[in-house]
Amino acid sequence: MVHPAAYDGGMLRAALLALSGDAPIGRHLRRWAEHSGWGRRLSGRFVAGLTLGDALAAVQQLNRQGLAASLDPLGEHVATRAAAAQAAEQAIAILDAIAAVRADATLSLKLSQLGLDVNSHGHDVDRDLAAAHLRRVLAAAARQGNVVCVDMEGSDYTAATLALVEQLHAEGLPVSTVVQAALRRTPADLERLLSQRIGVRLVKGAYREPAERAWQRKAAVDECYLRLMRRVLEAAPGLAAAPPGMTMGAATGVAIATHDERLIRAAVAYARQRGLAPAAFEFQLLYGIRRDLQRQLQAEGWRVRIYVPFGPAWYPYLMRRLAERPANLLFLLRNLGN
Ligand SMILES: Cc1cc2nc3c(=O)[nH]c(=O)nc-3n(C[C@H](O)[C@H](O)[C@H](O)COP(=O)(O)OP(=O)(O)OC[C@H]3O[C@@H](n4cnc5c(N)ncnc54)[C@H](O)[C@@H]3O)c2cc1C
């Protein structure tokens, strides 16, 4: 959510986003929250547990309801080479576990988890370390017949993320990525990705961005999302095929990822108007958010994939979810007593 001031409760949203970052107060709150029982209970609504076992159990339950999943091992902006290597090993272990239990699940990862920040100071990112790790993870995905979606982080990382995804996709590895409707650069990025037949997940954008890079008003972001959504759906049939060797889950190339019911209904109407088969694209929603809508879309025959975050490093993720809807804060506080 890029445009906190434009929403009702903008100050609270801006404060929550600031607390999700790396400022000293955010760091202190994070250390306290992630180690307290109170904090863990707080995160349970949006995070599928602390371990891979917890997350796989959640995925299997979703699969039984006809919902696919994408596992997201939480963690971002690792500061050391060792932590980046460990994140890559963990990603490969997750792909192995998905295959072992034959879950209908893909993997979502952030490049700053694989070391994009190591040796750099935020703006001047170093691709080599993350590239080496991502290549290994994608090779494991290819062996398993699976696909990895590279999440999109703040706009300091957009160019490096896209360049790496395009490079590894050109090497024939099974990778897709995310485009954020809020960013002014996105229409051009989207065209380039589609021309290479790279799968895309369309989101609004979860980060606070400056006006020169991003639309600031919610109405402008929504309007942009609507335009890009039509473009993505037009391209969907050309991207519907699973990547080479893909055997499980048959993730589609194109995903409409939002909880915004108005935009979801517009996507449904547009897909029907264009005569798109339900298998041509998928809706994606976050674990624990609008579960009613998740079930409803699935019952209507659409493909639905749930993004399932897990792991002990849940604090920045939770803060972004609270910033999107500060009413969640009230909901969580109320339920702490139960
Ligand atoms: C599958 C998936 C993957 C994503 N990956 C990325 C990524 O890689 N990079 C990135 O920048 N962003 C990512 N996002 C987040 C996205 O950018 C938005 O910040 C987030 O989805 C909220 O925007 P919205 O589209 O739901 O619309 P909004 O306009 O924010 O919300 C519309 C309605 O949805 C419901 N809603 C939205 N958020 C919440 C919430 N937190 N709790 C409860 N209800 C809520 C409310 O009813 C709200 O009125 C992802 C989102 C999804 C669904």
Side-chain angles (χ1 to χ4, degrees), residues 152 180 201 204-206 218 258-259 321 324-325 328:
M152 193 52 75
Q180 298 159 325
R201 171 201 297 157
K204 288 191 187 178
K218 175 174 165 52
T258 179
H259 315 95
R321 301 295 78 83
E324 280 154 8
R325 191 164 174 267
N328 284 338

Side-chain angles (χ1 to χ4, degrees), residues 1 3 7 46 110 150-153 178 180 201 203-207 218 222 225 257-261 263 284-286 288-290 305-307 320-325 328:
M1 118 82 69
H3 23 71
Y7 286 70
F46 299 109
K110 290 183 173 47
V150 176
D151 285 348
M152 193 52 75
E153 304 181 64
V178 179
Q180 298 159 325
R201 171 201 297 157
V203 303
K204 288 191 187 178
Y207 298 85
K218 175 174 165 52
D222 289 357
Y225 193 102
T258 179
H259 315 95
D260 189 326
E261 207 163 344
L263 289 171
Q284 293 188 357
L285 296 93
L286 299 176
I289 298 184
R290 291 300 313 262
R305 185 175 303 276
I306 308 303
Y307 183 98
R320 287 197 290 273
R321 301 295 78 83
L322 294 179
E324 280 154 8
R325 191 164 174 267
N328 284 338

